[in-house]
Amino acid sequence: KAECCITEVKHLQNQIRNLQGQLKSLQDIINKKHKVEDFINGSQTNEKLFAANGSAGDYKTSKATCSQAGGHLASPRTSSENGAIQRIIQRYNKAAYLDINDMQTEGIFKYQSVEVIGYANWAPGEPNDTGGEEDCVEMYTDGRWNDRSCGEERLIICEF
Ligand code: IPD
Ligand code: CA
Ligand code: CA
């Protein structure tokens, strides 16, 4: 009676060995990609991955571009995330919009128009709503933030 299962057990053992092999190749591929990302962006401790391809656009275009790519426009929630975005801005030497705005209520800045921000890195004197029309936020090369009108051309940085 016990003999009934020997072939089945052997078959399962084979399948497990195959899966272990596939898992190992997947881990190798992921490790390699991490090394490439660290080489390009500097070592990242964040779970989020920030990326730019050099294209630029106003706030609306930046949001749409990141969303089409399956991500979101970058919105840092910690100083470490802010630093990761800053490194990309420095590489391209071009400021970028963050997905933070005060379109709904003047002076109340929200992530993706929904959630009030819990971290900020404003430049001295900002936000100042110059001309009463600065409802978007850009990050300068020094990592500091400035509220800015939404129609400027800025480096597009997405998070995934
Ligand atoms: C302005 C200044 C100001 C900042 C505004 C900008 P601009 O630049 O940098 O400090 O608060 O958001 O518009 O318009 O004089 O080139
Ligand atoms: Ca404003
Ligand atoms: Ca400003």
Side-chain angles (χ1 to χ4, degrees):
K1 190 97 197 162
E3 265 175 39
C4 79
C5 304
I6 289 172
T7 7
E8 282 89 340
V9 167
K10 289 219 162 114
H11 182 63
L12 283 173
Q13 283 174 331
N14 242 336
Q15 283 186 319
I16 289 171
R17 258 192 298 277
N18 283 341
L19 284 171
Q20 281 171 330
Q22 288 174 25
L23 190 58
K24 169 84 170 58
S25 359
L26 277 175
Q27 279 167 336
D28 288 348
I29 292 168
I30 289 169
N31 287 344
K32 204 178 271 196
K33 287 198 182 279
H34 275 158
K35 286 184 199 166
V36 172
E37 281 153 10
D38 286 353
F39 180 66
I40 295 173
N41 288 339
S43 185
Q44 298 206 345
T45 46
N46 302 303
E47 292 202 10
K48 279 186 196 172
L49 277 179
F50 297 100
N53 62 10
S55 64
D58 62 12
Y59 179 66
K60 203 175 153 205
T61 302
S62 298
K63 273 181 78 79
T65 301
C66 290
S67 148
Q68 271 158 25
H72 289 285
L73 186 59
S75 47
R77 286 170 181 262
T78 64
S79 64
S80 132
E81 291 184 357
N82 205 79
I85 296 169
Q86 186 194 351
R87 282 200 290 275
I88 298 174
I89 287 176
Q90 286 175 332
R91 175 154 27 98
Y92 287 94
N93 193 26
K94 191 172 171 67
Y97 280 119
L98 304 175
D99 204 349
I100 293 172
N101 71 70
D102 73 334
M103 290 170 181
Q104 203 174 48
T105 311
E106 179 51 40
I108 308 288
F109 287 86
K110 294 182 178 173
Y111 301 114
Q112 291 158 15
S113 311
V114 180
E115 182 191 349
V116 176
I117 56 169
Y119 163 82
N121 195 35
W122 296 112
E126 307 298 344
N128 58 3
D129 203 41
T130 298
E133 52 188 31
E134 297 193 319
D135 291 349
C136 283
V137 178
E138 63 180 341
M139 187 191 291
Y140 294 141
T141 49
D142 70 356
R144 296 279 174 175
W145 303 1
N146 173 40
D147 62 337
R148 189 81 188 212
S149 54
C150 303
E152 310 293 329
E153 192 84 349
R154 292 291 179 262
L155 177 68
I156 300 173
I157 302 179
C158 307
E159 62 181 41
F160 298 94

